[in-house]
Amino acid sequence: MNNQETDISKRLLECMHASVTDTLSTMAFLEAKLINTQTMDTFTCTSQVAGLIYLHGNHEGMIALTGDRSDIVQIVSKVIALPAEKMLDDDIMDGVSELINMIAGGMKSKAGLSSQANLAPPISVMGTPSLTQWKTSSPTNIFTFQTEVGKFQVYASV
Amino acid sequence: MKLLTIDDSKTMRRIITGVGTNLGYDVLEAENGLMALEVLRNSSDEIGLIMLDWNMPGMNGLEVLKIIKASEDWKHIPVMMVTTESEKGHIIQAVKNGAIQYVTKPFTPENLSSKIMESLGMGEI
């Protein structure tokens, strides 16, 4: 990474926390508290549910929201105001995709990136658990958030 | 009068439909641009407001907006963009092409309700 890319990466990560808390409080009336952070050399998510979004253009990256099915169901249930027991897998996958779409959009917007980065359509993955890898030479920051109804992780390799 | 939401996300269509329904409107849904044009061909006389996402697979929101505003039959229908794209350039492009309102996701139901009412010429609620 050159200096400009490092600066963009730093700005995106700085804006991640605000974007997560804004999205969860506005769309789900949930308070997301950051409870843990860690860094990995690769981008490998092990989770039951994941929503991923690819950042492309002059600056490339991958951002994911992951968690256990039981936690993600509760969070998405708050977003769409539908009881968790009535939600189908398709509802959960669509919900997690929309959440990561809004979080990544917020990061990009708060970081002031307009032409430098574009968002690809989100991808959702569900399994018991599933392993998702993205080939990258950049490290991945993993942020664990706790809400009133469950916890989730945000993976950011930007 | 009906509202039309065009968004590839079922989650977002549900949220927008919920807000529109709470305001007392029937809300038609389309998950992409082509479906939206089909809905407009069949029901444009009933539609009082279109709520349009920007990033969708296939035809994007700006392309859909341009088609709507180029049509003699549909150009009078107000269009509100509802999108994660919040850069000034996107907003300017949307307004230049005929959008009358721009709402960025995430939004509160109250915020969306107010914007719908404003777009329908009913002022803020």
Side-chain angles (χ1 to χ4, degrees):
Chain A
M1 266 194 200
N2 61 33
N3 285 345
Q4 193 191 359
E5 284 174 335
T6 306
D7 180 51
I8 292 174
S9 175
K10 200 175 152 198
R11 271 157 53 201
L12 280 167
L13 288 172
E14 282 168 357
C15 296
M16 185 278 310
H17 185 244
S19 183
V20 168
T21 52
D22 276 6
T23 302
L24 269 291
S25 65
T26 308
M27 300 306 296
F29 308 105
L30 291 173
E31 188 183 355
K33 287 183 186 163
L34 183 63
I35 57 169
N36 190 38
T37 59
Q38 61 182 114
T39 306
M40 287 192 330
D41 291 335
T42 60
F43 187 99
T44 306
C45 313
T46 309
S47 65
Q48 293 177 345
V49 184
L52 301 101
I53 200 155
Y54 174 53
L55 206 61
H56 63 100
N58 292 345
H59 191 81
E60 188 182 62
M62 185 72 81
I63 306 162
L65 188 155
T66 73
D68 287 346
R69 191 183 189 284
S70 55
D71 289 329
I72 300 295
V73 165
Q74 293 298 333
I75 293 166
V76 173
S77 160
K78 295 283 282 181
V79 173
I80 58 177
L82 187 73
E85 62 275 12
K86 288 193 176 172
M87 287 178 48
L88 306 172
D89 285 352
D90 182 52
D91 299 323
I92 302 162
M93 292 175 83
D94 193 84
V96 80
S97 290
E98 192 53 33
L99 278 172
I100 195 61
N101 186 37
M102 285 188 277
I103 290 168
M107 285 169 68
K108 195 184 129 183
S109 161
K110 289 175 196 299
L113 305 181
S114 49
S115 55
Q116 291 108 317
N118 300 303
L119 298 178
I123 299 161
S124 48
V125 179
M126 189 179 268
T128 53
S130 61
L131 192 65
T132 310
Q133 274 192 327
W134 182 55
K135 299 285 183 191
T136 179
S137 54
S138 302
T140 301
N141 294 278
I142 306 166
F143 306 89
T144 304
F145 288 89
Q146 181 73 54
T147 73
E148 297 92 323
V149 296
K151 65 179 179 182
F152 63 91
Q153 286 80 39
V154 174
Y155 286 64
S157 178
V158 291
Chain B
M1 180 168 53
K2 295 179 179 175
L3 313 180
L4 169 62
T5 172
I6 309 166
D7 200 306
D8 58 313
S9 164
K10 185 179 170 187
T11 301
M12 198 46 67
R13 293 198 307 274
R14 262 185 176 147
I15 293 167
I16 293 170
T17 297
V19 170
T21 305
N22 281 341
L23 288 171
Y25 297 105
D26 285 337
V27 184
L28 304 174
E29 298 185 16
E31 65 179 70
N32 57 51
L34 288 177
M35 278 182 66
L37 300 181
E38 191 58 35
V39 172
L40 283 165
R41 274 183 213 108
N42 295 325
S43 314
S44 66
D45 290 350
E46 300 173 281
I47 296 170
L49 175 66
I50 297 169
M51 291 164 285
L52 177 60
D53 185 21
W54 192 296
N55 291 321
M56 295 185 287
M59 210 186 295
N60 69 33
L62 185 63
E63 291 168 312
V64 177
L65 176 64
K66 285 177 179 173
I67 292 172
I68 292 168
K69 291 301 168 187
S71 159
E72 284 302 320
D73 294 333
W74 306 335
K75 68 179 181 189
H76 66 282
I77 306 172
V79 178
M80 175 166 85
M81 301 303 293
V82 183
T83 172
T84 53
E85 295 290 353
S86 59
E87 286 84 21
K88 208 171 163 184
H90 280 91
I91 298 171
I92 291 168
Q93 256 189 307
V95 171
K96 268 187 180 170
N97 283 283
I100 61 157
Q101 194 71 260
Y102 202 98
V103 177
T104 51
K105 304 171 189 173
F107 52 76
T108 61
E110 292 76 20
N111 181 27
L112 185 64
S113 294
S114 293
K115 299 290 185 186
I116 290 173
M117 297 304 276
E118 275 178 41
S119 301
L120 292 171
M122 297 177 187
E124 287 189 33
I125 56 169

